[in-house]
Amino acid sequence: MHPLAIVGATAGKLAHYAVSGVVGALILQKLPDAKPAARKALVGGLAGGIVAGRWLSEAAEEARLKAGDMLAEARTSLGEEVPPPSAVKVDHDDHDHEH
């Protein structure tokens, strides 16, 4: 996995958990008997945190794809063969059952 993808995914998850944690702490500590309007606002805040986490995840994936494209272009300019993006070496003869 590309380092930018790992950083982006981690940032997205951290943002999601941070927003959810802050809102959850408010619910548990400050507003145990929240009125319907406050409850609706808190649910909206949680939904916003989920959307922000998804947006950050999508942005990280887009950055990963762009970085992969640039890396492939750089290898091509050097005359190297570029492996497919999901190239995983699988040894088909290394398994325990018979055919």
Side-chain angles (χ1 to χ4, degrees):
M1 184 177 253
H2 197 277
L4 287 177
I6 294 170
V7 170
T10 303
K13 287 179 183 179
L14 287 175
H16 169 73
Y17 292 137
V19 170
S20 298
V22 168
V23 173
L26 286 173
I27 292 171
L28 293 175
Q29 294 176 0
K30 306 288 182 188
L31 301 169
D33 298 321
K35 295 181 180 179
R39 180 181 175 90
K40 186 176 180 180
L42 290 171
V43 170
L46 285 171
I50 292 169
V51 170
R54 288 179 183 165
W55 179 84
L56 286 170
S57 227
E58 289 173 9
E61 179 65 11
E62 186 177 335
R64 184 190 70 81
L65 291 173
K66 286 181 180 179
D69 288 345
M70 288 189 292
L71 182 61
E73 187 177 340
R75 285 185 175 171
T76 302
S77 72
L78 293 173
E80 296 179 7
E81 185 176 336
V82 180
S86 62
V88 177
K89 184 178 179 184
V90 178
D91 189 7
H92 294 287
D93 296 327
D94 188 26
H95 54 273
D96 296 334
H97 66 272
E98 295 183 21
H99 292 266

